[in-house]
Amino acid sequence: MNFQSVRGMRDQVPEAARRWSHVETGFKQVLASFSYEEIRLPLLESTALFSRSVGENTDIVQKEMYSLRDRDGESITLRPEGTAGCVRAGLQQGLLFNQVQRFWYAGPMFRYERPQKGRYRQFEQIGAEAFGMAGADLDAELLQLCADAFQRLGVADHLTLELNTLGTAASRQAYRDALVAYLEPRQAQLDEDSQRRLARNPLRILDSKDEGTQDLLAEAPGLEDFLDDESKAHFDDLLTLLEQLDIGYRVNTRLVRGLDYYTHTVFEWVTDALGAQGTVCAGGRYDGLVEQLGGRPSPAAGFALGVDRLVLLHEVVFPDWQSPAVDAYCVVLGPAQRAWAMALCQRLRLDLPALKLRLHNGGGKLKNQLRRADQSGAVCALLIGEDEVNDNRVTLKWLLSAQSQERLDYETLRERLRGINR
Ligand code: ATP
Ligand code: MG
């Protein structure tokens, strides 16, 4: 029998996993440098948490969740996103009331979607969520953080920031009513998905890809006309800060997020390098969510980065990027030298924790072992035979350059290896 992975679930073989880890580590370093703290959360939550927070009428809750009955009959769901669980944990652990918090988390999310490039059923997000800060300076900080991370990873030139404001809950509601009043008499001209959304989640119609729907929307009332003073002031403040920070953006008044809990700022970082799945990171402000989940009101804002898509973008920008698995390859000429070689390698690993040192396993001829060393991508081989052991020295052979080989004592060898820089 030939087993295959479940549809929409991907393996990351070591070569791909190295790039993945490079991208993920780079982003996490920036989160740490903005003093965001890691919070580790369960993959399973009660189903009601998501219908309550993400919203009964969203695509996620309507058709994308992996829900199952626990053995005692409780309905639980593999998390489709991280914000709900993060707020749930913050409330349960007493971290939100009257406090300022900056959290991040990373890990797999699960949605039953049609798999295609950039869209999978298990995918990874890095999320950041900040609580207790109502001002636009927090929105700007989140965007500065993303911009910084994209810069450090070398992909910033391929990403554009799109921004919009949904305003306060009140202005959002007023607009929603006006939009429904405009669309209801024209319902027949909407695409099928949008017709369904009209009753349930009308704002989502704004980002329909259907041309007929878009034509209809061109004449529709605009969200910008329904913003109250508070909504406008918040957005203007943010735009000014972004200009002062020299963070480029494009206001897109059609941008709405699929999740129900957003207020004020919503944003997406988009690229045209990945085809249809161009949104790499999405987020915004969700001042109403903490209260909606039973807490005392607390302003909040955050984003979720789609790591799969960021890695795909990194592949497009740096097709030749490589990170070798092995720096130094230790060749052992005979069984009598195995223990000596293992002890030597162990000493080197303790002294040089970053060195990737592979010890040849299983013996064999010098020539064959050296071929393995070449294949491993190592920059050098350490040769250990009878002479080396008797002499208490190691022969160092460079594999990528024509430097002649040398027989070195431990300290000199260690310093040579310390100098490997890649
Ligand atoms: P989309 O419009 O592409 O379906 P979304 O609005 O459902 O995205 P969010 O819930 O905001 O996405 O999730 C944040 C980010 O997570 C997205 O911008 C994207 O980068 C990533 N993401 C969402 N769903 C998937 C998926 N099925 N596969 C891979 N990445 C995903
Ligand atoms: Mg989606």
Side-chain angles (χ1 to χ4, degrees):
M1 194 191 289
N2 262 334
F3 287 108
Q4 298 285 310
S5 61
V6 173
R7 190 161 138 80
M9 316 268 161
R10 301 192 296 159
D11 303 315
Q12 301 289 345
V13 299
E15 200 188 320
R18 285 201 288 278
R19 187 194 291 269
W20 190 283
S21 155
H22 167 76
V23 168
E24 209 172 40
T25 309
F27 207 96
K28 288 179 186 173
Q29 278 169 355
V30 175
L31 284 159
S33 78
F34 277 72
S35 85
Y36 282 61
E37 295 181 275
E38 183 177 17
I39 182 163
R40 296 175 71 95
L41 303 164
L43 298 191
L44 283 165
E45 297 278 1
S46 63
T47 302
L49 174 68
F50 299 112
S51 27
R52 189 67 201 267
S53 59
V54 175
E56 205 61 75
N57 299 322
T58 53
D59 284 351
I60 291 183
V61 172
Q62 291 278 318
K63 50 187 189 194
E64 294 176 0
M65 295 210 296
Y66 280 88
S67 299
L68 61 136
R69 295 270 164 205
D70 207 343
R71 287 181 187 273
D72 62 8
E74 191 196 340
S75 177
I76 51 177
T77 293
L78 276 168
R79 62 179 187 192
E81 58 96 51
T83 304
C86 185
V87 172
R88 194 269 310 138
L91 287 172
Q92 185 176 339
Q93 306 303 331
L95 300 173
L96 301 189
F97 177 58
N98 235 348
Q99 294 173 72
V100 166
Q101 299 286 5
R102 289 173 169 85
F103 297 136
W104 68 265
Y105 51 81
M109 307 291 161
F110 302 84
R111 296 183 195 177
Y112 191 80
E113 301 205 65
R114 193 168 69 77
Q116 53 201 292
K117 186 181 158 204
R119 189 176 297 284
Y120 313 101
R121 290 182 175 176
Q122 175 176 331
F123 61 98
E124 300 255 338
Q125 286 184 342
I126 295 178
E129 318 285 356
F131 299 92
M133 291 164 279
D137 45 354
L138 173 67
D139 309 19
E141 174 181 290
L142 289 163
L143 292 168
Q144 186 187 31
L145 192 162
C146 293
D148 183 7
F150 297 146
Q151 193 74 44
R152 291 200 215 183
L153 287 167
V155 297
D157 289 350
H158 301 264
L159 286 162
T160 309
L161 170 60
E162 299 208 340
L163 275 181
N164 194 17
T165 179
L166 304 176
T168 56
S171 25
R172 182 178 163 153
Q173 187 59 45
Y175 176 62
R176 188 187 154 117
D177 294 345
L179 185 66
V180 172
Y182 170 82
L183 290 175
E184 253 173 359
R186 300 167 176 84
Q187 190 163 356
Q189 291 160 260
L190 289 170
D191 63 275
E192 210 176 297
D193 263 351
S194 297
Q195 293 194 6
R196 199 167 40 77
R197 284 174 175 149
L198 185 57
R200 295 174 161 174
N201 194 359
L203 291 191
R204 252 316 229 189
I205 297 175
L206 295 184
D207 63 6
S208 161
K209 304 269 186 293
D210 183 80
E211 267 184 39
T213 298
Q214 279 304 331
D215 289 347
L216 202 58
L217 286 170
E219 304 292 314
L223 183 57
E224 56 284 6
D225 299 327
F226 290 80
L227 298 175
D228 53 27
D229 289 345
E230 185 194 339
S231 306
K232 281 185 199 149
H234 186 97
F235 199 47
D236 288 344
D237 195 15
L238 173 61
L239 299 187
T240 307
L241 275 169
L242 292 178
E243 276 148 33
Q244 288 166 335
L245 291 168
D246 214 12
I247 297 172
Y249 64 84
R250 200 175 77 83
V251 174
N252 172 358
T253 55
R254 293 266 177 258
L255 180 67
V256 289
R257 305 285 312 126
L259 312 184
D260 268 354
Y261 47 64
Y262 286 100
T263 51
H264 289 294
T265 314
V266 290
F267 60 83
E268 292 190 350
W269 292 91
V270 298
T271 179
D272 49 23
L274 297 180
Q277 271 55 250
T279 304
V280 168
C281 176
R285 185 164 273 286
Y286 49 94
D287 289 342
L289 182 61
V290 174
E291 195 179 8
Q292 196 174 315
L293 289 180
R296 312 250 199 121
S298 166
F303 63 76
L305 170 84
V307 187
D308 302 70
R309 294 184 191 173
L310 185 58
V311 171
L312 285 172
L313 180 59
H314 191 270
E315 271 169 28
V316 171
V317 181
F318 303 105
D320 300 325
W321 184 91
Q322 278 200 341
S323 168
V326 184
D327 296 319
Y329 193 104
C330 185
V331 166
V332 194
L333 291 172
Q337 291 95 44
R338 281 181 309 179
W340 197 89
M342 287 179 90
L344 172 95
C345 286
Q346 198 44 31
R347 196 174 167 196
L348 284 169
R349 290 188 188 109
L350 289 173
D351 284 348
L352 304 172
L355 182 75
K356 294 177 228 162
L357 178 57
R358 178 172 292 175
L359 178 60
H360 182 84
N361 202 286
K365 290 186 187 132
L366 173 65
K367 198 175 120 218
N368 292 340
Q369 291 195 40
L370 279 175
R371 179 155 27 83
R372 292 289 183 85
D374 278 327
Q375 286 165 351
S376 77
V379 263
C380 63
L382 314 183
L383 311 185
I384 298 174
E386 213 181 320
D387 290 353
E388 280 83 359
V389 171
N390 291 337
D391 214 13
N392 203 24
R393 281 162 184 262
V394 173
T395 300
L396 175 65
K397 178 178 167 60
W398 296 98
L399 300 172
L400 304 179
S401 66
Q403 270 168 283
S404 51
Q405 66 186 48
E406 309 170 276
R407 193 170 284 185
L408 306 170
D409 62 19
Y410 178 80
E411 282 72 22
T412 318
L413 172 69
R414 185 190 60 208
E415 293 319 303
R416 290 278 201 288
L417 295 176
R418 197 195 296 282
I420 296 176
N421 185 7
R422 52 178 185 163

